[in-house]
Amino acid sequence: MASTDEVSRKREELERSPSGHDGHDAACFGLVTALYERFIKERNVSDLNEAIPLARHALELRPVENEKHERCGILGCLAICFLLRYNELGAVDDLEESITCSRAAIGLCPPGYPDRAAVLHCLGVGLTNRFAEKAEIRDLEEAIQLGRATLKLCPRGHPDHAQFLCNLGRALGMKFAKTAAMRDSEDSIKLYRATLELLPLGHPEMSSVLRGLALCLSNRHDKLGVVDDLEEAITIGRAALELCPRGHREHGKSLQCLARDLRKRFAQKVAICDLEKAIELLRPALELHHTGHLDRFSSLYELALCLSHRHDKHGVADDLEEAILLGHEALKLRPPGHHRRAAVLYSLACDLWKKFQFLHKADAVVRPTNRVDLASSLFELSQCLWDKFQKQQVMVTDLDNAIYVSVVAWVQRLAKEVKSDESVVPGRAVDNLLALANYHRARFQSQHAIIDLNKAITLYRDMLQFCPAGHPNRASSLHDLAQCLAERFREQSTATDLNEAIVLQQEALRLL
């Protein structure tokens, strides 16, 4: 209530100091500060939504720095507000804005400036978060340098020392997960343990630090296979969950943390009770991590893995169906180019393969054994589903899956070929493209959704680019595109479609 009263007072001050008034800039920034402080207490993102444009306005009123370093202070506050909103909503644009503002603030911070450590810390956290999004190691390297510089400015005894220790530990732990350098792992674990020693009982950040330590131990277990690391991670995860009961804002994170390590122990010891408990924990975590939540992807991915494992153990078809649905949703949250996309693709491909084998009791498709052969396995799977659809042996939903896995195979093959500096669309990738066009056309003919016909036309046009004059497949490509345009003319009576179809069909006939 006190924070709300303070916001109300600052609003009144701003109303008494309209634009052009001598005290307008100070009143504007005063309201920003009050909104920020209320957000810290109540976690209502609407306070940040109001504070950010006000802070931008205050910044415009201070185009150059003054002796009070007010522009630096506004930039620093704006950087923190953007970072906090990113933490709430997961919008990468907010993260980029935070990094930009932090860099600008650092450029204005003179040596000895009292808030320099806070600005360095904000930039370091922003870069660490950007590494989590984009996996560019230079961001992490800079974040670690900033973390060390921040600790020099805030040695043991400083009120923020524990917080800065923890964030450096997080960055080093992420670097270990990326590079497997054992020194980073050891340093990260030491920093987390040192942070725990400094935090008093009941400290609001205790659960967060425990989860960070559990993650480091879990990652070290993944690299070295030391059972004690995983057991300690589970023990620490339970302790973190006890500190975040139902209703706590970090309850979902703690549920997910413990579930992850129980799933790993199941994979190691095949104790079904661990897997059942992990699923039990992940369902409420997913409910808490609603659409748009920063941790929704992780909850979807973990629950899909657990359900897939349970299907392997008990053969319950519903588990596999749910795992596939969750995998689809998780993939949407990791677009092409995201460093976590490959892991989701691989898991989803394996689940689709299992569904195909379960339904059709066939060995026509080789299960992908690693991410390297993923594109080929997916393409083969899409062709088998297509063949069965044509023979009326499967439902339209399996044509949907044929389209889906063909898209995934296409994207996966392109990503692999771009990285290997090969031609972007060689033979098999063109096969993917043609198959995908055929699938969309077939679905249009089955379901009459014009979006499928439009997609088929776009894909057949793309095919023509790879079938220039003299190419043996040019005539068939012209014919396919002409047929689709004629179908669209019958649906929408657009004269240009019919005219183009006639021209294309005439060219195709001349080539025969």
Side-chain angles (χ1 to χ4, degrees), residues 396 440-454 487 491-492:
V396 172
H440 275 289
R441 185 181 178 190
R443 191 164 69 178
F444 165 74
Q445 292 169 342
S446 174
Q447 299 179 0
H448 306 289
I450 196 68
I451 190 172
D452 277 320
L453 185 57
N454 291 338
E487 287 183 76
E491 292 287 325
Q492 299 181 336

Side-chain angles (χ1 to χ4, degrees), residues 6 23 32 41 81 146 163 230 243 295 325 332 366 385 441 465:
E6 181 65 12
V32 170
K41 292 178 181 178
C81 287
L146 290 165
Q163 180 186 4
L230 187 57
L243 294 174
D295 294 313
L325 288 173
K332 291 177 183 177
V366 177
L385 289 167
R441 185 181 178 190
Q465 296 179 30

Side-chain angles (χ1 to χ4, degrees), residues 37-268:
E37 291 174 351
R38 188 169 71 176
F39 169 80
I40 294 300
K41 292 178 181 178
E42 300 179 10
R43 296 289 168 172
N44 188 336
V45 76
S46 63
D47 285 334
L48 294 177
N49 292 338
E50 184 179 359
I52 287 171
L54 283 169
R56 286 190 186 279
H57 177 59
L59 197 62
E60 291 172 357
L61 298 173
R62 282 279 176 265
V64 295
E65 189 60 290
N66 59 19
E67 69 279 359
K68 296 180 181 179
H69 306 296
E70 290 176 325
R71 183 172 174 82
C72 177
I74 297 170
L75 281 166
C77 183
L78 191 54
I80 292 171
C81 287
F82 275 122
L83 184 60
L84 290 171
R85 193 165 71 176
Y86 164 78
N87 290 340
E88 295 294 318
L89 304 178
V92 177
D93 286 348
D94 281 340
L95 187 57
E96 295 293 346
E97 290 276 13
S98 176
I99 291 170
T100 299
C101 291
S102 293
R103 291 198 189 281
I106 289 172
L108 297 175
C109 284
Y113 180 69
D115 292 330
R116 183 174 177 82
V119 178
L120 291 173
H121 174 253
C122 183
L123 177 57
V125 173
L127 290 167
T128 302
N129 288 340
R130 191 165 71 179
F131 171 80
E133 293 281 354
K134 299 183 177 180
E136 294 181 1
I137 195 67
R138 64 176 180 271
D139 282 339
L140 203 53
E141 296 286 1
E142 185 180 358
I144 290 169
Q145 291 175 2
L146 290 165
R148 297 192 193 283
T150 303
L151 282 175
K152 287 181 180 178
L153 294 173
C154 303
R156 191 179 183 91
H158 190 281
D160 294 324
H161 182 71
Q163 180 186 4
F164 298 158
L165 277 176
C166 179
N167 282 298
L168 178 57
R170 176 182 175 230
L172 287 166
M174 293 172 74
K175 186 182 174 188
F176 167 72
K178 177 74 171 178
T179 66
M182 285 308 302
R183 180 174 178 178
D184 291 329
S185 175
E186 299 301 329
D187 287 347
S188 177
I189 291 170
K190 286 178 183 177
L191 288 167
Y192 273 117
R193 294 195 193 281
T195 304
L196 288 173
E197 291 176 2
L198 293 173
L199 295 182
L201 290 175
H203 192 282
E205 295 299 319
M206 180 70 78
S207 63
S208 176
V209 178
L210 287 169
R211 288 195 304 273
L213 178 56
L215 177 60
C216 287
L217 291 165
S218 182
N219 286 341
R220 189 168 71 178
H221 164 267
D222 294 345
K223 300 294 184 182
L224 302 181
V226 178
V227 175
D228 288 347
D229 280 342
L230 187 57
E231 292 297 335
E232 186 180 0
I234 291 171
T235 300
I236 291 171
R238 294 189 196 281
L241 185 56
E242 288 178 7
L243 294 174
C244 301
R246 185 182 298 272
H248 191 285
R249 66 182 305 270
E250 294 191 340
H251 182 62
K253 288 178 180 286
S254 297
L255 288 169
Q256 186 175 298
C257 170
L258 179 57
R260 174 199 64 221
D261 293 328
L262 288 171
R263 190 250 313 158
K264 290 182 180 180
R265 190 167 71 178
F266 164 78
Q268 187 176 73

Side-chain angles (χ1 to χ4, degrees), residues 229-460:
D229 280 342
L230 187 57
E231 292 297 335
E232 186 180 0
I234 291 171
T235 300
I236 291 171
R238 294 189 196 281
L241 185 56
E242 288 178 7
L243 294 174
C244 301
R246 185 182 298 272
H248 191 285
R249 66 182 305 270
E250 294 191 340
H251 182 62
K253 288 178 180 286
S254 297
L255 288 169
Q256 186 175 298
C257 170
L258 179 57
R260 174 199 64 221
D261 293 328
L262 288 171
R263 190 250 313 158
K264 290 182 180 180
R265 190 167 71 178
F266 164 78
Q268 187 176 73
K269 297 185 176 182
V270 199
I272 193 64
C273 59
D274 282 337
L275 189 60
E276 295 291 355
K277 184 63 177 178
I279 293 171
E280 178 188 330
L281 294 169
L282 285 166
R283 291 199 185 281
L286 185 58
E287 291 179 6
L288 290 168
H289 296 158
H290 50 78
T291 301
H293 193 285
L294 195 60
D295 294 313
R296 183 164 180 82
F297 165 78
S298 298
S299 295
L300 288 166
Y301 180 56
E302 278 293 333
L303 183 53
L305 285 177
C306 288
L307 290 167
S308 182
H309 288 325
R310 191 166 72 177
H311 169 268
D312 295 345
K313 188 74 173 173
H314 296 311
V316 178
D318 287 348
D319 281 342
L320 187 58
E321 288 293 342
E322 187 178 1
I324 290 170
L325 288 173
L326 294 169
H328 278 296
E329 186 178 349
L331 193 64
K332 291 177 183 177
L333 298 177
R334 293 297 178 263
H338 195 285
H339 68 106
R340 295 291 303 278
R341 185 174 173 86
V344 189
L345 282 173
Y346 177 65
S347 297
L348 184 53
C350 289
D351 287 340
L352 288 167
W353 179 89
K354 283 187 279 189
K355 178 183 176 182
F356 181 79
Q357 299 298 91
F358 180 77
L359 289 175
H360 305 298
K361 304 291 190 276
D363 296 318
V365 183
V366 177
R367 178 176 181 169
T369 56
N370 54 58
R371 297 176 194 174
V372 175
D373 66 358
L374 181 58
S376 296
S377 295
L378 283 169
F379 184 45
E380 290 177 23
L381 176 55
S382 74
Q383 288 183 310
C384 285
L385 289 167
W386 168 246
D387 289 343
K388 290 185 176 294
F389 173 79
Q390 289 182 305
K391 296 173 184 176
Q392 297 183 338
Q393 294 180 9
V394 295
M395 298 183 297
V396 172
T397 52
D398 284 312
L399 177 58
D400 295 341
N401 275 334
I403 290 173
Y404 178 77
V405 295
S406 185
V407 170
V408 172
W410 167 251
V411 172
Q412 186 76 358
R413 196 181 297 281
L414 288 185
K416 179 183 175 184
E417 284 152 2
V418 167
K419 289 179 181 177
S420 62
D421 295 326
E422 295 176 11
S423 174
V424 173
V425 190
R428 294 218 69 185
V430 172
D431 292 341
N432 279 133
L433 189 61
L434 177 58
L436 185 55
N438 291 336
Y439 299 164
H440 275 289
R441 185 181 178 190
R443 191 164 69 178
F444 165 74
Q445 292 169 342
S446 174
Q447 299 179 0
H448 306 289
I450 196 68
I451 190 172
D452 277 320
L453 185 57
N454 291 338
K455 186 65 177 178
I457 289 170
T458 299
L459 292 167
Y460 283 130

